[in-house]
Structures are given as structure tokens and as C-alpha cells.
Amino acid sequence: MNRRAIVAANWKMNGSLALVNSMVSELNSLTLNENVEVVVCPSFPYLAAFSLVSTELKLPKVFSLGAQNLNEHAKGAFTGEVSTSMLQEVGVNYVILGHSERRSIYKESSSLVAQKVKATLAANLKPILCIGESEEERMAEQTEVVLAAQLQPVIDEIGIENFKDVVIAYEPVWAIGTGKTASPEMAQATHHFIREFIAKIDENVAVKVPLLYGGSVNATNCEELFAQADIDGGLIGGASLKADEFKVICSAAKG
């Protein structure tokens, strides 16, 4: 089965209005392979601008807008937080959830991440669920245990049947922003474990879930990584801030 390939740009707390304008213009000239979607996730202040510029320049529908987080509640006294309805109003389609920085710096638990995934799906938005192990956990051969512990609360919260609408991004914490990258074989083995973990519960869902690799993907290593059987694209950090490099990565994705 040919799953859709997704390349998602996580700008983190970087970027500017100038980058929004230039990135939309550069992407508008990009021809993607069939069944490939590109998602750009800037910081909250730039979401509306990205949506507006995309409409003005008639950016094709294969390019989508994503947010980097949301609150699990629909509304209320949650200063500094953002709801699903707010994101919908500015044209957001995807939401990154459970990124390792949210888990480690802001102490988001897998249970909270599961609640956020549920809220995202309820709003007909598409969650990009991030999971991954630290270097210490990898060295202790605990990768599979850690990933299972991060996935299971989400399965329990939303039900396996709803995973057909979830994108999973495997991001080894030790390879984020460090320049270190899992070898294609190592990345494939871990992606295969994730797919098999889901398949043990529902094989039909497992074959449909796009799995993205998110560990220092760049223009040099993207083609080899995307060629792996269970890797359906990437969650791109630093390289997504450079239009030329990001376009190379997008062009390497094959649905």
C-alpha cells in the first residue's frame, strides 16, 4: 500500500514575517511527487500571516499549515494557551503534539499528550504525534519500551481505530539539533517496530499510518532515509528554515 508521504517543517521558536513570505513564495514554485504533502508549522503569531499569504499566492492544497501545540480544553481561563477553534479560524490543518521539547522542558506527560490528540481529532484537525527516546535510553536498549509507553496512553485514549487519522513522528531525542542522525537502517528498524506495535492491535490501521523520521534530517541524508520501507517522510527542524534546503527535502519525499 502506498501511504501518503508527509514532510513537516517545525520552525520551533524561530522565523519571522519575512520568512513566512519568502517560504510561501519558494514553495509555490516547487513540484512535488505524487501523494506527497508538505506541512509548515511556524510559531503561533505567524499562522494567520502564512494562511493569508498562501491564499494570496494560491499555494496548492498539497501545502498545509500546522501549529506546534494546542491546549486540550476547548476554551477557558488558560492564559497563554491556544484552542482548536482558534487554530481552525486561521486555516490550520495539522498540530504537532508531544514533541520531546514539550515533554522534557514543559513536563508534558504521555497522558496529557493523549488528551491533546483526542481534542485535535475531535476538531477534525490532524495530529502529528511525536515519540522518541533519549540517548541514555537508547544505550540501555530501552528504545522499544519507551516508545510503547508513549504510544499506549494515546491508544487507550482515542482507540486504535482512530489512529488512521494520526501521523506519528519518531524523533530520537539524541538526534534533535545535535547533528547526529540515526543510520537509515537504525531509523527503519525503529519505524518498523512502531508499525508492528500498532499492527498487533489492528493490522489495517498500521498499514495506513504515516510514520515520519525527525532527527536532524537534511538535504544530504533525506533521500536515503525516505527510501526506507516504513519511513513516510520527515519532521524537519533547522533545515526547514532554509528554503533551498527544505525544497530539496520535500522533493525527495515519495508517496
Side-chain angles (χ1 to χ4, degrees):
M1 175 183 178
N2 284 338
R3 289 175 294 275
R4 63 196 166 109
I6 297 171
V7 179
N10 180 12
W11 286 7
K12 306 189 180 183
M13 199 172 72
N14 300 296
S16 61
L17 287 174
L19 181 60
V20 167
N21 287 311
S22 63
M23 186 64 72
V24 174
S25 179
E26 289 287 342
L27 292 178
N28 210 20
S29 66
L30 180 62
T31 301
L32 300 171
N33 289 313
E34 189 176 355
N35 204 26
V36 174
E37 186 173 6
V38 172
V39 183
V40 179
C41 306
S43 296
F44 291 135
Y46 302 133
L47 291 173
F50 199 101
S51 185
L52 179 62
V53 176
S54 297
T55 301
E56 288 176 346
L57 294 184
K58 297 180 180 179
L59 194 65
K61 290 184 178 180
V62 290
F63 297 96
S64 295
L65 182 61
Q68 296 177 19
N69 191 27
L70 54 66
N71 189 276
E72 68 276 17
H73 299 286
K75 61 181 179 180
F78 304 104
T79 301
E81 293 291 291
V82 174
S83 70
T84 53
S85 61
M86 294 173 184
L87 297 180
Q88 287 172 312
E89 281 197 313
V90 294
V92 166
N93 299 114
Y94 285 84
V95 186
I96 298 172
L97 298 169
H99 191 279
S100 63
E101 291 156 5
R102 298 299 312 176
R103 294 177 188 265
S104 63
I105 301 172
Y106 301 102
K107 309 305 178 187
E108 291 191 5
S109 66
S110 292
S111 175
L112 176 58
V113 172
Q115 293 174 48
K116 291 187 175 190
V117 172
K118 184 177 182 179
T120 302
L121 290 173
N124 291 317
L125 298 173
K126 301 169 187 175
I128 299 176
L129 170 63
C130 299
I131 60 174
E133 83 286 7
S134 67
E135 188 165 16
E136 292 76 17
E137 290 163 340
R138 165 68 69 169
M139 296 299 291
E141 299 183 353
Q142 292 295 299
T143 295
E144 295 182 0
V145 173
V146 171
L147 299 185
Q150 292 172 341
L151 281 170
Q152 193 61 53
V154 185
I155 294 172
D156 295 342
E157 184 72 38
I158 70 171
I160 193 65
E161 66 279 1
N162 288 312
F163 259 76
K164 69 183 188 303
D165 298 315
V166 175
V167 178
I168 298 176
Y170 165 60
E171 40 152 31
V173 179
W174 48 271
I176 299 172
T178 63
K180 296 179 182 178
T181 309
S183 68
E185 295 76 18
M186 186 189 298
Q188 163 58 22
T190 308
H191 280 71
H192 182 70
F193 163 77
I194 296 167
R195 201 174 302 284
E196 286 298 301
F197 183 83
I198 297 171
K200 287 176 183 176
I201 309 171
D202 192 317
E203 290 185 10
N204 291 327
V205 170
V207 298
K208 296 174 183 176
V209 178
L211 301 183
L212 314 184
Y213 176 68
S216 295
V217 179
N218 56 49
T220 303
N221 61 27
C222 59
E223 194 159 347
E224 196 172 6
L225 285 164
F226 294 169
Q228 303 304 309
D230 288 299
I231 299 179
D232 305 311
L235 178 60
I236 318 301
S240 71
L241 297 166
K242 307 165 188 171
D244 288 346
E245 186 167 9
F246 187 56
K247 286 167 68 175
V248 171
I249 296 169
C250 293
S251 298
K254 296 177 176 64

